[in-house]
Amino acid sequence: MLNKLFFTDSAVQFGDMTVSNPDANFVSASHKKRFEESVGISYHFVESEKSSLKLALRSAEKLLDGNPFYRESVGSVIVMSQSMETLIPSNSVIIQGMLGLSSECYCLDLNQGCSGFNYVYTFALERASKSGKLVLVINSDTYQAKLCKEDNTSLLFSDAAVAYLVGPKQSDEIKILSEYYWNDGSRYEAMYYTKDLWL
């Protein structure tokens, strides 16, 4: 019920391989067991092709396949990722074309991680309300190819994508009364990635 309130529909796509937590990240077998029991993560998903664009496309296809109404009613495509491998054209335009969506689609890429869900969802509500059409939102990341394997941070992230549709109905039912966002760009070097380097 909650899912139908927030999204018209959704589909999740995980990376095509599962990898157990490496023993090298732990000081002992009991340390590994404590971590896995307390955090609840004993393996993670890895995309063998390391392509967040292909992962994003598979999640959208899973969502749209078999439902012609969805495909015909999408008026906007928003792709959010911190690990897209292409810059030109935008990933949302590539996905719009590969899905065969209307050439009149509003397409937008956003560079945000998991915390960006709030940004893109509130924006999707606005787009749905103004356009009267469905907004296809795709969050896709392939962090595993970028994170340092010796760093315990790599144990927390899987390669995955989720595609969901926000429609005008949600924008009528959900009213965001207040928003608060906090960022600290002064510490960017704690997790910094360029085309050639992940620090």
Side-chain angles (χ1 to χ4, degrees), residues 66-188:
N67 197 325
F69 170 77
Y70 286 169
R71 203 175 279 274
E72 295 161 7
S73 303
V74 171
S76 301
V77 178
I78 305 172
V79 176
M80 186 170 62
S81 178
Q82 287 187 311
S83 52
M84 285 295 185
E85 59 273 10
T86 60
L87 298 176
I88 300 172
S90 68
N91 297 282
S92 52
V93 168
I94 294 171
I95 288 173
Q96 171 271 330
M98 294 181 98
L99 292 173
L101 300 175
S102 168
S103 58
E104 295 180 2
C105 271
Y106 176 99
C107 293
L108 179 69
D109 285 9
L110 295 174
N111 177 20
Q112 286 282 349
C114 50
S115 62
F117 174 84
N118 298 323
Y119 292 88
V120 74
Y121 185 68
T122 56
F123 188 74
L125 285 172
E126 287 293 318
R127 285 293 312 152
S129 176
K130 288 181 179 168
S131 69
K133 295 187 173 189
L134 291 173
V135 178
L136 171 62
V137 180
I138 307 167
N139 298 64
S140 178
D141 273 302
T142 50
Y143 287 127
Q144 281 299 311
K146 297 169 178 62
L147 292 166
C148 175
K149 299 303 179 203
E150 291 75 40
D151 185 349
N152 285 341
T153 309
S154 67
L155 301 174
L156 302 176
F157 294 97
S158 276
D159 295 344
V162 61
Y164 61 91
L165 293 165
V166 175
K169 190 167 190 275
Q170 278 84 21
S171 62
D172 292 337
E173 292 177 352
I174 297 173
K175 301 295 179 201
I176 297 172
L177 302 178
S178 69
E179 296 177 70
Y180 175 76
Y181 296 95
W182 184 83
N183 294 283
D184 188 0
S186 66
R187 300 186 61 212
Y188 74 91

